Amino acid sequence: MKITINGLHKAFESRIKLGIMAALAINNMLDFNSLKEFLDVTDGNLASHLKALEKEEFIRVEKSFVDRKSNTNYAATELGRKAFTDHLNALEKLIKGVTE
């Protein structure tokens, strides 16, 4: 049996990027600290993965101030949602191909 990995997106190979997109798929918007807590990662680690997803235009960033403190929020873009859904569908096909 031939197993294909076509459709898997390289941007989601990292568990952290996969986690970011999963969190943003079920939440309209999350702030940096919520993502950090949810994924249990360091500031620097999260920031680098967020920057990579932003560069791919899979997430958008909104900066504001709350009580004189900077607040950065993240949301998945339409392009990001589609790429993530396509990735999940490819994973599902891969799993079904292996188990059939």
Side-chain angles (χ1 to χ4, degrees):
M1 167 187 355
K2 183 178 178 184
I3 299 171
T4 180
I5 58 171
N6 292 335
L8 294 178
H9 200 293
K10 188 158 180 67
F12 306 126
E13 285 181 354
S14 158
R15 71 173 183 87
I16 296 169
K17 290 182 192 123
L18 194 62
I20 291 167
M21 291 306 294
L24 294 177
I26 58 172
N27 295 280
N28 288 335
M29 188 169 281
L30 288 171
D31 65 26
F32 185 88
N33 287 329
S34 296
L35 282 168
K36 185 175 114 173
E37 184 178 317
F38 177 71
L39 298 169
D40 192 27
V41 294
T42 64
D43 287 9
N45 201 354
L46 179 58
S48 67
H49 288 287
L50 287 166
K51 189 57 123 177
L53 289 170
E54 184 183 5
K55 185 177 178 182
E56 292 279 346
E57 297 182 358
F58 288 168
I59 62 171
R60 63 182 165 80
V61 182
E62 291 183 14
K63 296 186 181 225
S64 62
F65 285 92
V66 176
D67 296 327
R68 295 185 180 180
K69 291 183 183 178
S70 64
N71 186 37
T72 306
N73 288 294
Y74 301 89
T77 63
E78 286 302 315
L79 178 65
R81 287 184 186 280
K82 180 174 181 344
F84 185 64
T85 300
D86 291 348
H87 182 78
L88 293 179
N89 289 337
L91 279 174
E92 188 175 349
K93 286 178 186 175
L94 178 65
I95 292 166
K96 285 181 178 177
V98 170
T99 60
E100 289 178 350

